[in-house]
Amino acid sequence: EYCGLRHSFMEAKTRIVSEEEFQKWLVEKSPVVLESMGLKVLQNNDCTSCPSLDGSKLVGPSFKGLWGSNRLVIEDGKEKTVIADSTYIKIAILKPDKQVVKGFNPGMMRAYSNVIKDDEIKSIIVYFEKQSELPK
């Protein structure tokens, strides 16, 4: 697609490693790689169809400006303000009905506890952190 008729001239190297070596590399890789992996995890799990990336209100609250923001949530029937940090994001992925952003309905998001792995959650967190560093 990018190289047109010269596709056969593209070179790529492949390195086969053990699962342990791959997992070590995955944990230690750069924030840039994790950031793009985080967006892919969100897209592959259909996490960008209810919350928007651009600030528009859909079925879920937008991801735009999420990292470090105050979120007014309902937890155990009470309003509470929480900071959108790594703990908040992990809870939102694994137990989405625990802290529901006020104005949105509980039960709309499935729990991803057996779907999204810890390293993928880490990459999602890095994605949100890096998005907060972009010029507004």
Side-chain angles (χ1 to χ4, degrees), residues 6 18 34 59 66 84 87 95 113 128:
R6 311 255 324 146
S18 68
L34 281 173
V59 177
L66 172 66
T87 301
K95 300 176 185 178
S113 52
F128 288 130

Side-chain angles (χ1 to χ4, degrees), residues 2-3 9 12 20-21 32 37 40 56 62 71 87 89 100 105-106 113 119:
Y2 294 113
C3 49
F9 291 94
E20 296 80 30
E21 190 175 343
V32 172
M37 185 176 138
K40 285 221 182 296
S56 57
S62 179
R71 306 295 258 189
T87 301
I89 291 169
V100 178
N105 297 322
S113 52
D119 60 324

Side-chain angles (χ1 to χ4, degrees), residues 33-104:
V33 174
L34 281 173
E35 179 184 0
S36 79
M37 185 176 138
L39 179 57
K40 285 221 182 296
V41 172
L42 290 170
Q43 291 169 331
N44 290 343
N45 287 284
D46 213 17
C47 301
T48 55
S49 57
C50 293
S52 73
L53 293 172
D54 65 4
S56 57
K57 184 176 176 180
L58 300 174
V59 177
S62 179
F63 288 145
K64 185 174 183 178
L66 172 66
W67 185 259
S69 67
N70 289 326
R71 306 295 258 189
L72 183 59
V73 299
I74 308 299
E75 183 175 1
D76 298 325
K78 298 178 183 148
E79 285 186 18
K80 169 182 177 177
T81 300
V82 296
I83 303 282
D85 59 7
S86 59
T87 301
Y88 171 80
I89 291 169
K90 191 167 187 172
I91 289 170
I93 293 168
L94 302 178
K95 300 176 185 178
D97 287 339
K98 182 173 172 66
Q99 298 176 332
V100 178
V101 174
K102 186 175 180 180
F104 293 91

